[in-house]
Amino acid sequence: MIAPNRCYGALMGSVAVVAFPDVIAYDLALAVEVFARVPLSNGENGYRVQVCGTEPVIAAGRVRIGTDHGLEALADADTIIVPGSNDVAAAAPGDLIAALRSAYTAGTRIASICTGAFTLAAAGLLDGKRATTHWFAADLFRAAYPAVRLDPDVLYVDEGQILTSAGASAGLDLCLYMVQRDHGAATAATAAKLAVAPLHRSGGQAQFIVRNRLPITIIGEQTELDSVLAWIEQNSHRELTLADIAEHAAMSVRTLNRHFQAETGQTPMQWVTGVRVRHAQELLERTTHGVERIGRDVGFTSAANFREQFRRLSGVAPQSYRNTFRQRTLDDTLLTSGHARRRSPGVFASR
């Protein structure tokens, strides 16, 4: 499927945000609010925003969303935003798939937020293209749509007519990026200030990924590596070798490699590195230890190797990760302790 040539970024004025059953309300509202608050120098807003539903009233988790426009309005939009769905295994409505295909053929710019990439992929709009989605759904996406070049480590991907974002707040990054592409950096900076968000964030989605975990398709199932993975979890701080792991698993190195590739998609030592990086992330969030000490404590033999591997897997340097997440951890701790203090008189009074 080839769309006609069209220049994207030249004041794409009409934005249609799609609403469908079980849509993620956060994704939908985020797109509506960002594009509805783009003041231009002439006093007008940069976009005309409308919500287009597969039905007049859409069930979206715990809320209901009323829509004034149906899918037929997508034909007149310059940009279509497809939010994520709470259940990625559920089939997208057939009339939505048809409308997206028609819009793509007409040259309309189409963007997805979070798991909205599943809907674009189901319509065949991502085949052969690079795309992203929420990191937690990456394994399911790869299995369902092998023709798509998935990159789960980035916040968003721009393929020209098609754009995709990672999960949750990455949709905000994508929307602000589109505003910048359409109206320039100054207008986008104003929109970012109104959203109380940075125009650009360092790093990508990689820094939010919980490493290392089994692929979603086998979580909850017993695997031949269960005891080995648990042992690595407890011993990753040691100077482990492939032979050490094979000896504990009572397997040959070749058999061990085969099982790891089948069950995790990684080699044993790649898994060990991922575990060490996750442990380092936890220490960066919860302690004041220096970066070099943390690298040693989790099993890296040199500070240079630690920094290299941490940046490779997380997308940011260890100190940048700490700057982002340590304050968040402290804020959560203060909030939790404050909440506990407020509740404690009632707890004791009830006894």
Side-chain angles (χ1 to χ4, degrees):
M1 185 185 298
I2 300 176
N5 291 329
R6 183 166 173 176
C7 178
Y8 300 99
L11 305 180
M12 308 293 285
S14 175
V15 175
V17 184
V18 180
F20 49 88
D22 205 31
V23 66
I24 298 176
Y26 175 85
D27 296 349
L28 185 148
L30 182 154
V32 170
E33 290 302 309
V34 170
F35 288 110
R37 300 177 189 274
V38 183
L40 303 180
S41 58
N42 62 6
E44 297 182 358
N45 194 67
Y47 302 92
R48 300 182 306 279
V49 183
Q50 55 189 21
V51 178
C52 303
T54 56
E55 304 166 14
V57 178
I58 300 295
R62 297 176 179 83
V63 301
R64 298 292 181 269
I65 299 174
T67 62
D68 294 328
H69 306 276
L71 295 182
E72 67 279 356
L74 298 184
D76 299 321
D78 295 307
T79 299
I80 297 172
I81 306 294
V82 181
S85 172
N86 287 297
D87 182 5
V88 296
D95 52 350
L96 173 57
I97 294 295
L100 290 174
R101 287 172 175 165
S102 178
Y104 180 76
T105 301
T108 304
R109 180 173 67 176
I110 304 175
S112 66
I113 295 175
C114 192
T115 55
F118 281 78
T119 303
L120 300 193
L125 306 187
L126 298 181
D127 287 356
K129 294 182 175 65
R130 183 168 164 259
T132 192
T133 188
H134 195 296
W135 65 265
F136 195 79
D139 294 326
L140 291 177
F141 189 95
R142 283 196 187 95
Y145 303 106
V148 181
R149 295 184 288 119
L150 184 68
D151 185 350
D153 289 342
V154 298
L155 292 175
Y156 54 82
V157 172
D158 180 356
E159 283 277 331
Q161 186 184 353
I162 298 289
L163 302 94
T164 54
S165 89
S169 60
L172 177 59
D173 296 284
L174 175 61
C175 291
L176 290 173
Y177 167 78
M178 294 170 71
V179 172
Q180 180 172 349
R181 203 173 74 167
D182 294 346
H183 295 283
T187 298
T190 300
K193 290 175 182 177
L194 291 173
V196 194
L199 183 54
H200 300 288
R201 281 196 289 170
S202 61
Q205 188 177 205
Q207 62 191 305
F208 300 97
I209 298 175
V210 179
R211 305 178 188 273
N212 242 338
R213 60 186 179 89
L214 286 173
I216 291 174
T217 50
I218 61 175
I219 286 178
E221 301 177 11
Q222 288 294 112
T223 77
E224 294 188 49
L225 292 180
D226 281 354
S227 63
V228 181
L229 298 180
W231 182 80
I232 290 174
E233 187 74 21
Q234 297 299 319
N235 292 275
S236 59
H237 62 284
R238 297 171 45 201
E239 293 188 23
L240 295 180
T241 66
L242 188 57
D244 293 331
I245 302 172
E247 180 180 359
H248 176 81
M251 299 178 185
S252 68
V253 168
R254 182 177 180 180
T255 300
L256 180 72
N257 276 321
R258 186 171 67 249
H259 281 300
F260 258 85
Q261 286 289 352
E263 294 188 17
T264 72
Q266 302 177 32
T267 68
M269 297 313 296
Q270 286 173 334
W271 184 271
V272 170
T273 298
V275 170
R276 287 170 174 166
V277 167
R278 172 164 52 81
H279 289 173
Q281 289 173 329
E282 294 168 0
L283 291 175
L284 287 165
E285 293 173 25
R286 299 172 184 174
T287 75
T288 58
H289 299 333
V291 169
E292 292 190 6
R293 173 181 169 179
I294 288 175
R296 291 194 305 270
D297 287 349
V298 300
F300 289 97
T301 56
S302 74
N305 186 40
F306 169 51
R307 287 188 168 89
E308 178 185 352
Q309 297 302 328
F310 192 97
R311 181 180 285 277
R312 182 178 65 83
L313 292 180
S314 299
V316 294
Q319 189 60 50
S320 296
Y321 181 91
R322 167 172 272 168
N323 293 341
T324 299
F325 290 94
R326 179 163 169 73
Q327 185 58 50
R328 184 179 302 177
T329 301
L330 291 174
D331 290 344
D332 290 344
T333 301
L334 289 172
L335 180 62
T336 302
S337 62
H339 181 66
R341 284 195 298 272
R342 289 193 298 272
R343 290 191 57 187
S344 57
V347 172
F348 287 110
S350 66
R351 291 185 177 178

